[in-house]
Amino acid sequence: MKIWGLKGLLLLAGALALLPGTAQAAWLQAKTRHFTIMSDGSEAKLREFAEKLEKFDGLLRHVTGITDPEAGSPVHVYLLSSDAKVKALARNANIGGFYTTSDRFAYAVLARGMKASEYDVGAEDILFHEYTHHFMLHHFPAAYPAWYVEGFAEFFSIVKFPKDGSIQFGLIPMARAPTLVQDSPYPLKNLFARDTDGLGLRDGDRYYGTAWLLTHYYQYKADRRAEISHYLKDLTSGVPDMKLDDYFAGGIDGLEKDVKAYMRRPLAASRLIPSAVTVGEIAIGPVDPAQGALVEDELRLMHRPDTEELPGIVSAIRATAAKFPSSAYAAALLAEAEWEAEEKDASLADADRAIALDPGLSRAYASRARVLLERAQDDGREEDWKAARAAIVKANRADTEDPVPLALFYRYHAMKGGPMPEVGYDGLAKAYVLLPQRPEYRMAYVQALAFRGEYAAASRLLDPLAYSPHPSGMRDSALALKKRFDAEAAKKKGPSTAP
């Protein structure tokens, strides 16, 4: 299949405004193998969207050769009724959707409805881009260069689902096209040398667009694919003193010339036949009224609120919870909000109230455990340690796939002191496996491995954090730890005996 070149598409395309769907009062939930999706829109639209997400997951598995049907904890997707709500939640007026993690699951938030123009970055484009990161981090964690991480995600960000059931991918991300055509691609020497830190809007489009173009080039230029594979293999293996010109025919300048010529030609795209992907069951049902009434406040609580925002969030959740006095879900969420707002006694009381309403609610036991762990550390009373441990065990028994009790069990032993039991390490390892996208779980597991002297394994697990395309304090810490662990691993290995 051939599609128009970039310049031709720019000349031919026009803007088409599409109105978002009308919101409904009741929330619905769709559950699939890899996603839990909540929406206050129509059931038909929700089913269509759920099918699309499962097809997208199937596309990634088909292209990458992943046969394991599981993917850790399901990703939660929240479809809100307007862009304004998404922007307010993100505290960013320039985005139409976002992906991040809570301590229980990865989640994405976007608005229902379609983008106004193919030159916009739509909410679905963002979701596909971010889910590709999620998938890559779960199945292919390594020290990939920033341009490749972003280029791989951009390559899968524009996907079409025709009525015949097929999937079209490898399409041009038109939101990046204008700067590629008008300003030319981002210089490859700079692309290979830097991350996304400090990029303005225009240079950002050039960077992401060129990362997509280079990924697309190697996807469809089979005769050149070996060179990028060689480069990525050496880079992720830590080969020292790599010289770019040694990897590419004609050196990096020759590659840049070839890529620019490639851009001027009609570009290929791919089509996956309907039988290549199995969607599986999509179960749709109403959300409990209390949970539905709390969706947006729960998102505010999950999305790292500032300290000054917490009292207002607690008050809003408390007011809604008062309307549903028999809801264990509302009481448990209130307990979590109160914990975050440093209202520890109230948090324990509401956690206990939630447990009384539903003795099988894992998150309520987890809130109880947090308060009791802090008390035990402060007063050293054995009964508090025992009560905290009992709450953690009950939380785990109520939901063995919830990473929070698993991480709390490790924390319990670390706080109490003494030798860490093997089951403590196992619990932390499972929390990490369930949600490797959560930096805090990855970092905690890394520290545990290093404490046991497994420095090489700890260093490898740091790669996705240390070489993240996006700057952060976590990335700086990961780089420093990696350097230290590599030195410890070298000392442990001892001097080489090779002649």
Side-chain angles (χ1 to χ4, degrees):
M1 167 181 157
K2 294 285 183 179
I3 57 178
W4 291 97
L6 291 175
K7 189 166 288 186
L9 278 169
L10 285 169
L11 293 172
L12 291 172
L16 176 63
L18 297 174
L19 296 175
T22 303
Q24 294 179 347
W27 283 83
L28 296 172
Q29 179 176 266
K31 286 195 171 186
T32 69
R33 174 173 280 177
H34 303 105
F35 301 94
T36 297
I37 310 156
M38 295 184 65
S39 171
D40 60 353
S42 73
E43 181 175 344
K45 289 291 186 182
L46 177 57
R47 185 174 297 278
E48 178 185 350
F49 184 74
E51 181 177 327
K52 193 181 293 186
L53 289 188
E54 278 297 327
K55 282 185 173 182
F56 184 73
D57 177 87
L59 166 67
L60 294 179
R61 291 171 188 277
H62 182 89
V63 171
T64 60
I66 294 295
T67 57
D68 176 10
E70 302 306 322
S73 301
V75 174
H76 288 230
V77 180
Y78 297 85
L79 299 176
L80 303 187
S81 58
S82 70
D83 283 331
K85 288 183 177 181
V86 176
K87 295 177 190 300
L89 182 63
R91 298 185 289 277
N92 186 334
N94 297 316
I95 64 172
F98 62 89
Y99 161 97
T100 186
T101 60
S102 72
D103 55 0
R104 282 194 169 83
F105 46 73
Y107 68 96
V109 179
L110 55 153
R112 292 185 281 107
M114 303 292 288
K115 59 185 178 182
S117 162
E118 63 179 330
Y119 291 100
D120 291 336
V121 178
E124 282 191 7
D125 305 342
I126 295 169
L127 178 58
F128 292 152
H129 178 108
E130 296 297 343
Y131 187 72
T132 302
H133 283 321
H134 172 95
F135 186 90
M136 191 179 192
L137 187 56
H138 192 97
H139 295 287
F140 303 100
Y144 296 114
W147 74 263
Y148 183 72
V149 172
E150 297 301 343
F152 188 78
E154 282 291 290
F155 182 81
F156 289 102
S157 67
I158 307 299
V159 180
K160 292 183 178 179
F161 303 88
K163 292 182 179 180
D164 65 1
S166 65
I167 306 173
Q168 296 174 3
F169 64 101
L171 304 166
I172 296 171
M174 292 303 296
R176 313 294 187 192
T179 51
L180 278 180
V181 173
Q182 295 165 14
D183 297 340
S184 80
Y186 201 77
L188 292 194
K189 284 182 180 177
N190 297 343
L191 186 80
F192 276 77
R194 69 164 300 160
D195 55 28
T196 61
D197 187 19
L199 288 172
L201 181 60
R202 198 168 189 87
D203 266 355
D205 278 341
R206 288 178 72 206
Y207 181 98
Y208 280 86
T210 306
W212 166 83
L213 181 62
L214 195 55
T215 304
H216 194 280
Y217 177 80
Y218 281 113
Q219 176 67 29
Y220 292 105
K221 290 284 288 181
D223 58 322
R224 300 288 296 271
R225 205 172 293 155
E227 61 187 28
I228 194 65
S229 297
H230 183 201
Y231 167 75
L232 291 173
K233 181 177 183 296
D234 282 1
L235 187 69
T236 57
S237 300
V239 172
D241 302 321
M242 291 175 60
K243 295 180 175 58
L244 278 178
D245 286 340
D246 294 342
Y247 288 90
F248 306 107
I252 194 69
D253 290 336
L255 176 61
E256 184 157 42
K257 180 180 177 181
D258 293 341
V259 168
K260 286 181 177 179
Y262 177 78
M263 183 182 75
R264 291 191 289 269
R265 297 197 296 268
L267 301 182
S270 298
R271 175 183 178 272
L272 196 63
I273 61 174
S275 60
V277 171
T278 302
V279 171
E281 181 185 3
I282 300 174
I284 296 180
V287 173
D288 172 80
Q291 184 180 358
L294 288 163
V295 166
E296 293 180 19
D297 284 327
E298 183 169 10
L299 285 172
R300 290 172 62 206
L301 179 65
M302 284 197 303
H303 196 52
R304 303 175 182 86
D306 295 330
T307 302
E308 57 268 22
E309 295 179 273
L310 284 168
I313 294 173
V314 171
S315 294
I317 293 174
R318 187 174 285 144
T320 303
K323 300 174 184 177
F324 300 93
S326 61
S327 171
Y329 188 97
L333 181 62
L334 179 57
E336 292 172 1
E338 289 162 339
W339 166 263
E340 293 296 334
E342 302 286 338
E343 298 181 24
K344 306 300 173 59
D345 291 340
S347 178
L348 182 60
D350 282 313
D352 287 344
R353 183 163 62 86
I355 291 167
L357 290 165
D358 181 359
L361 192 57
S362 176
R363 62 194 297 178
Y365 288 111
S367 290
R368 174 175 171 78
R370 288 189 183 100
V371 177
L372 292 174
L373 273 177
E374 187 174 274
R375 281 189 184 176
Q377 189 175 43
D378 289 343
D379 61 30
R381 294 171 55 193
E382 187 60 29
E383 52 264 45
D384 284 337
W385 286 114
K386 287 181 178 179
R389 187 183 189 281
I392 294 168
V393 170
K394 288 179 179 178
N396 177 247
R397 287 176 179 169
D399 186 351
T400 58
E401 302 305 298
D402 183 350
V404 172
L406 297 166
L408 280 173
F409 191 67
Y410 179 86
R411 184 179 165 205
Y412 162 84
H413 286 287
M415 290 171 67
K416 192 175 184 187
M420 177 67 65
E422 195 65 27
V423 69
Y425 287 114
D426 291 345
L428 184 58
K430 184 175 179 181
Y432 161 75
V433 168
L434 285 168
L435 195 56
Q437 298 83 5
R438 179 74 172 173
E440 291 81 358
Y441 289 156
R442 182 179 290 269
M443 190 66 86
Y445 188 43
V446 161
Q447 297 278 21
L449 288 172
F451 184 78
R452 301 181 79 175
E454 299 178 37
Y455 295 109
S459 177
R460 284 194 300 273
L461 284 183
L462 281 169
D463 282 349
L465 295 179
Y467 301 107
S468 166
H470 306 291
S472 67
M474 183 75 79
R475 187 179 72 173
D476 295 341
S477 297
L479 280 167
L481 283 174
K482 187 172 177 64
K483 183 177 180 180
R484 179 159 66 87
F485 294 161
D486 285 345
E488 292 292 344
K491 284 194 291 185
K492 192 172 180 180
K493 187 176 181 182
S496 173
T497 58

